[in-house]
């Protein structure tokens, strides 16, 4: 309760494709003492007490985190300076498959990653077309999960940049972190792909 900040603003649903995170909305993040945007140009954030608690336990200065040298030292309170347009989960389920269908090189990188293998799917033209036609299917979820999972992996910075560029071109400032949402780790996990609209 001491560490998180609750936003007095609410995310506004626009339609099935997007929502608006309004100016003044408050996010929380476990990170460093500055706004530590990752190498692919994005920032992972969440909101609400439950998710801050989960991330504090997972990413904070726990004994295991210290032992491995990978832990956050600071709870950042992040304010939205300008409205953020955020893609919906359903929109990402569909458009992720559209992206991979149009970008064979990116598709092969994800298909050959451990993440695609971990959910037992081969990402090919047939599975992508099926996911586009039925974006709420298990296949669509697996494809979206595998793609989202590479975004946080420092070995896939170039691939992450391609995904973020795709969504920026569609006019989005943020996307849901499907890796954490689909695994039940978080309900509010968000990747802000235009972090210039934030202040810590």
């Amino acid at each position: 309760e001491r560490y998180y900040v609750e936003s007095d603003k609410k995310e506004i649903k626009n339609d099935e494709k997007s929502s608006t995170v309004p100016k003044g909305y408050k996010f929380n993040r476990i990170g460093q003492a500055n706004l530590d945007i990752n190498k692919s140009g994005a920032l992972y954030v969440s909101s609400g007490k439950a998710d801050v608690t989960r991330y504090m336990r997972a990413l904070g200065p726990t004994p295991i985190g210290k032992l491995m040298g990978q832990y956050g030292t600071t709870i950042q309170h992040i304010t939205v300076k300008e409205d953020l347009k955020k893609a919906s989960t359903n929109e990402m389920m569909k458009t992720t498959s559209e992206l991979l269908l149009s970008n064979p090189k990116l598709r092969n990188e994800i298909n050959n990653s451990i993440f695609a293998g971990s959910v037992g799917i081969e990402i090919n033209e047939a599975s992508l077309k099926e996911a586009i036609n039925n974006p709420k299917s298990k296949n669509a979820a697996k494809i979206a999960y595998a793609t989202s999972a590479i975004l946080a992996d420092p070995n896939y910075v170039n691939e992450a940049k391609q995904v973020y560029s795709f969504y920026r071109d569609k006019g989005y400032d943020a996307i849901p972190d499907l890796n954490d949402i689909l695994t039940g780790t978080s309900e509010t996990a968000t990747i802000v792909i235009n972090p210039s609209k934030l202040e810590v």
Side-chain angles (χ1 to χ4, degrees):
E1 289 181 354
R2 289 183 303 169
Y3 291 121
Y4 90 108
V5 63
E6 189 74 56
S7 182
D8 59 356
K9 305 277 186 180
K10 300 293 182 185
E11 192 172 314
I12 304 160
K13 185 175 180 181
N14 300 325
D15 52 33
E16 288 300 313
K17 292 184 177 181
S18 73
S19 60
T20 298
V21 182
K23 179 180 178 181
Y25 190 93
K26 304 284 187 187
F27 285 116
N28 298 275
R29 172 178 162 76
I30 312 300
Q32 304 306 316
N34 58 345
L35 196 61
D36 47 339
I37 297 166
N38 66 23
K39 291 181 179 179
S40 54
L43 195 72
Y44 283 70
V45 295
S46 65
S47 57
K49 180 180 176 181
D51 281 348
V52 172
T53 301
R54 289 190 195 100
Y55 285 119
M56 184 63 191
R57 289 175 179 155
L59 303 175
T62 61
I64 292 175
K66 288 180 177 179
L67 182 65
M68 298 184 70
Q70 297 177 336
Y71 62 93
T73 61
T74 306
I75 297 183
Q76 301 169 353
H77 297 160
I78 296 170
T79 304
V80 176
K81 296 191 296 183
E82 300 175 48
D83 289 358
L84 303 176
K85 183 179 179 184
K86 179 181 171 183
S88 69
T89 298
N90 287 341
E91 174 70 355
M92 279 198 71
M93 295 284 209
K94 181 178 181 181
T95 53
T96 296
S97 292
E98 291 174 350
L99 166 62
L100 298 184
L101 190 62
S102 68
N103 190 331
K105 187 176 180 182
L106 177 61
R107 176 173 76 228
N108 288 338
E109 288 294 329
I110 297 170
N111 202 35
N112 293 329
S113 72
I114 61 169
F115 306 111
S118 70
V119 291
I121 189 169
E122 182 181 350
I123 304 174
N124 52 37
E125 288 191 12
S127 62
L128 290 168
K129 287 176 181 177
E130 180 186 333
I132 290 167
N133 290 329
N134 188 4
K136 295 183 180 179
S137 67
K138 286 184 179 179
N139 266 358
K142 289 179 178 181
I143 291 166
Y145 168 80
T147 304
S148 185
I150 71 157
L151 300 178
D153 189 323
N155 296 311
Y156 290 93
V157 170
N158 289 331
E159 289 76 15
K161 286 180 178 178
Q162 292 176 61
V163 174
Y164 298 150
S165 178
F166 174 78
Y167 282 100
R168 286 190 197 104
D169 288 346
K170 285 185 168 289
Y172 292 112
D173 302 297
I175 56 177
D177 178 6
L178 295 185
N179 182 33
D180 283 5
I181 290 171
L182 293 176
T183 57
T185 302
S186 167
E187 294 180 2
T188 67
T190 299
I191 307 171
V192 179
I193 57 177
N194 278 329
S196 62
K197 293 187 174 184
L198 305 175
E199 62 181 358
V200 62

